[in-house]
Amino acid sequence: KQEVTQIPAALSVPEGENLVLNCSFTDSAIYNLQWFRQDPGKGLTSLLLIQSSQREQTSGRLNASLDKSSGRSTLYIAASQPGDSATYLCAVRMEYGNKLVFGAGTILRVKS
Amino acid sequence: EAGVVQSPRYKIIEKKQPVAFWCNPISGHNTLYWYLQNLGQGPELLIRYENEEAVDDSQLPKDRFSAERLKGVDSTLKIQPAELGDSAVYLCASSLNSLDTQYFGPGTRLTVL
C-alpha cells in the first residue's frame, strides 16, 4: 500500500526566506506526482505536476523536483511572501488504478 | 469558466440523521471523484465515476454511504445514518478523463453532533 509522508508538518518563516517542503513515498510505481495548495475553507489548487519521467517542474517562484527511485520530492519556494501561507499537499498518482494518494500536508505560515 | 460547485458549504446535523451533498463538475469533465478529508489529513478517495459508472468505490463504507451520478453530470453523496466519526470535509473533484489533472471544489464541511 502506498504511503505518502510530508515533512515538516508545520513551518513558520519570516517573509523573504527561501524554503523547502519534503514529500516521500514508499511505492515507486507512480505515474506522476503533484503538489497542491489548500487555503482554509477552500478546495485544493494544483501548483505543479511532475511526470514520472521528469526530474523537475518550475512555475514562477516554485520549483518541484522528483527522484522516483528514492521515493522523494521537494517543493522549493523562493522569496516567500505572506500570501504563500497555506497548507501544501503532495499527491502521487499510481501506475495502477489511477488513484491519487495524498500526504497529510505541511502547514506553512509566512510572517510579514 | 465555472469551477467545481459543491453545496451546501457547511452542514451541522445530529447523529443518526441522514445528510446529502451535491456536486456539479466542470462542464465536459467525464470523471468525478468524492474525497473525504479529516482534520490534519490529506484527502482520501471514496468513489470515482467515469460518466455514470462507479469504477472505484472500494473505500466507500457501503453500509451507510451511497452515491449516484445520474446522466453522468451532477453527483450526490449520501450518508444515512450519520455517525460522530463522519465529521469531516467532503471534497468533490472532476477531470476530463481519469489521467487528467483533477480540479477540486471548495468542499462541504460536515459536523455531526
Side-chain angles (χ1 to χ4, degrees), chain B residues 25-83:
Chain B
I26 293 173
S27 178
H29 281 195
N30 296 317
T31 309
L32 184 145
Y33 312 78
W34 282 103
Y35 288 88
L36 163 70
Q37 185 175 25
N38 287 304
L39 187 64
Q41 300 296 317
E44 297 176 29
L45 181 68
L46 289 173
I47 189 168
R48 172 168 66 98
Y49 281 94
E50 297 289 349
N51 298 303
E52 304 92 351
E53 183 181 0
V55 296
D56 184 356
D57 62 356
S58 57
Q59 301 303 311
L60 189 72
K62 298 180 183 64
D63 57 335
R64 297 183 301 107
F65 286 65
S66 65
E68 62 182 11
R69 191 185 184 198
L70 299 176
K71 300 181 181 179
V73 181
D74 295 0
S75 177
T76 55
L77 177 69
K78 298 178 182 178
I79 309 175
Q80 183 171 14
E83 297 179 352

Side-chain angles (χ1 to χ4, degrees), chain A residues 31 34 36 38 41-44 49 89 93 97-100 102-104, chain B residues 9 35 37 40-43 48 59 91 98-102 104-106:
Chain A
Y31 184 74
Q34 207 163 356
F36 291 87
Q38 186 173 30
K42 302 285 182 64
L44 281 67
L49 184 150
L89 293 153
R93 180 186 292 279
N98 294 325
K99 187 176 179 179
L100 266 186
F102 284 85
Chain B
R9 293 293 314 278
Y35 288 88
Q37 185 175 25
Q41 300 296 317
R48 172 168 66 98
Q59 301 303 311
L91 293 165
S98 61
L99 293 180
D100 201 37
T101 299
Q102 295 180 28
F104 284 78

